[in-house]
Each structure stands twice: as structure tokens, then as C-alpha cells.
Amino acid sequence: DAKKLVRSPSGLRMVPEHRAARSPFGLDEPPWVPDKECPRCMQCDTKFDFITRKHHCRRCGKCFCDKCCSKKVPLPRMCFVDPVRQCAECALVSQKETEFYDKQLKVLMNGATFFVTLGTSDKSELMVCRLSNNQRYLVLDGDSHYEIEIMQISTVQILTEGFTPGGGNTRAIGMILQYKVPGSEEVMQMKFTASEDFSCNKKLSAAWLAAMHKATKLLYESRDQ
């Protein structure tokens, strides 16, 4: 998918040429609070003047003094080329998301093996499941082939085992995925179960499911924007 470099008041961004090609995990740039509407810092209430300058957080668009908006942090969900100025609260969120883009996104793209059951069928098929390089499709390959558009996913339920009433560690062993078929209102369901053949497969599948859980949270946030 072709991309273009664009400049906004917030900084340089590398974005897809066509909006339809954007990542389903992306966020739009927020509108900035107009200067005339923020005579004081929206965090510490310091009054702005010639010495105390105002700065806009690139993630929330609110207005802050330099002390409350001093951090420059990567913001890949808005496709910024360089780290951008963010308030303390937004910087913390963006730093956590950077782990997803640096580590978990690669796990999803590398894929993992699951037994996949379609709908109410009692038959399952061993398939390699991975996220496409453009982040827009979940690709399943086995004897069959499926491509599920991420934007069409309605719910993701991670299945776990090992929980006890008194607490304790749980392990992700699968997920139930519901998605809409493009061009209709029909909702399909798939169940993914981790293969028990090899211990290495179980670890890889658990890591993939954990990454998918995080991806789902970002997907929901993008939709709610």
C-alpha cells in the first residue's frame, strides 16, 4: 500500500495514500483546543504569558504549559515519523502502546498454529493464523484459506485455563472470534484452540493470543474515537 509524507501542525506523518488502507489500530489526529479558549494550563492551571508558553499535546489536543507537556514520545497510532510532544497522561499511554508496535505486532504477523472450528461445526482444521503485513486482515492457512478483515471483527473472547477461586495464574488456550461478512449483516464465528502437540507450539500460541488480546483493545479504541 502506497504511503505519503504529510505535514500537520503536530508534525510529520507517513500515512496511506487512501484512507481505506489505513491500519485498523490507528487514531486520527485530535483537533487542538483553540488558543483563545485556554488562557491557563489545563493540568496545573498556570496562567500563560510571554514567559510561560502554551503547548498542545499531539494525542489529546489539550493545552498545557511546558512543564506539564514536556515529554516527546513515539505515537505510531497516528503515524508520526518522529516522537512528538505529549502531556504526562498521554505519554504514559503511548509508551505502553509502543511495546505493542515493537513486539506484539511482530508476534501477530509471524503467526501461530491453531485448531480452527467454523461456526457450530464439530470438525476442526489445523491452520496457521497470522496478521497481514498491512495489519488489515487476519489470514488463516491450512487445507482451507480465510481472510478476515480486522475492521469486520465484532468480538474477541480469549479462552483461558488454570484459574482457581483463590486466585492463580491463567494461560491463554484459545479464542472465540465473531465477525461480519462484508456486504451482509451475517455474523460468523470461529473458535481457535491451541495445539497441544509440542510445548513450543503452546508457548507460541499463548504469546500470539496475548498479542491478539492487546490488538483487540486498540481496535475497540480506534472505533470509539
Side-chain angles (χ1 to χ4, degrees):
D1 296 314
K3 294 186 177 181
K4 60 182 179 180
L5 190 64
V6 298
R7 180 183 292 276
S8 73
S10 297
L12 286 173
R13 300 169 66 223
M14 185 65 75
V15 300
E17 285 194 356
H18 304 288
R19 186 173 176 81
R22 62 174 287 181
S23 166
F25 310 119
L27 293 173
D28 292 327
E29 281 189 83
W32 282 11
V33 174
D35 287 349
K36 62 182 180 181
E37 294 181 11
C38 53
R40 295 177 177 273
C41 174
M42 300 179 77
Q43 177 63 40
C44 69
D45 204 37
T46 296
K47 186 176 181 180
F48 295 123
D49 54 29
F50 182 75
I51 297 176
T52 305
R53 310 299 295 273
K54 62 184 65 175
H55 302 277
H56 286 86
C57 172
R58 272 51 174 171
R59 186 183 180 102
C60 67
K62 295 179 180 178
C63 214
F64 302 93
C65 67
D66 182 70
K67 183 179 178 181
C68 293
C69 195
S70 61
K71 294 185 178 182
K72 289 192 175 182
V73 180
L75 186 46
R77 293 186 74 183
M78 291 184 191
C79 304
F80 283 109
V81 174
D82 300 308
V84 290
R85 187 185 291 271
Q86 298 178 56
C87 66
E89 183 177 349
C90 287
L92 185 61
V93 174
S94 294
Q95 286 169 344
K96 291 180 180 178
E97 291 173 351
T98 298
E99 181 182 353
F100 171 77
Y101 280 88
D102 288 346
K103 298 178 182 179
Q104 294 168 313
L105 196 57
K106 294 175 183 177
V107 170
L108 291 174
M109 290 179 177
N110 287 337
T113 303
F114 296 92
F115 283 107
V116 179
T117 307
L118 183 62
T120 57
S121 173
D122 56 359
K123 296 181 180 180
S124 60
E125 181 180 339
L126 191 63
M127 308 188 82
V128 176
C129 308
R130 63 178 180 85
L131 184 69
S132 64
N133 290 337
N134 61 15
Q135 306 173 20
R136 301 206 322 270
Y137 295 92
L138 191 61
V139 181
L140 288 71
D141 277 310
D143 291 336
S144 305
H145 177 81
Y146 298 97
E147 291 188 8
I148 301 171
E149 190 174 355
I150 296 295
M151 290 298 291
Q152 297 298 327
I153 294 176
S154 52
T155 60
V156 174
Q157 178 187 355
I158 302 298
L159 305 175
T160 61
E161 68 175 9
F163 177 77
T164 58
N169 294 328
T170 60
R171 179 171 66 91
I173 59 171
M175 72 176 180
I176 295 176
L177 182 77
Q178 291 185 325
Y179 63 97
K180 290 184 179 180
V181 178
S184 75
E185 292 300 315
E186 183 182 5
V187 176
M188 300 292 290
Q189 178 172 297
M190 280 186 175
K191 182 178 180 180
F192 297 68
T193 306
S195 170
E196 298 288 339
D197 293 347
F198 305 100
S199 59
C200 60
N201 283 350
K202 291 165 64 175
K203 291 180 180 178
L204 184 62
S205 298
W208 194 92
L209 289 167
M212 188 66 187
H213 181 60
K214 178 63 177 178
T216 303
K217 289 184 176 180
L218 299 188
L219 177 63
Y220 292 162
E221 290 171 5
S222 296
R223 288 178 178 167
D224 292 341
Q225 187 184 48

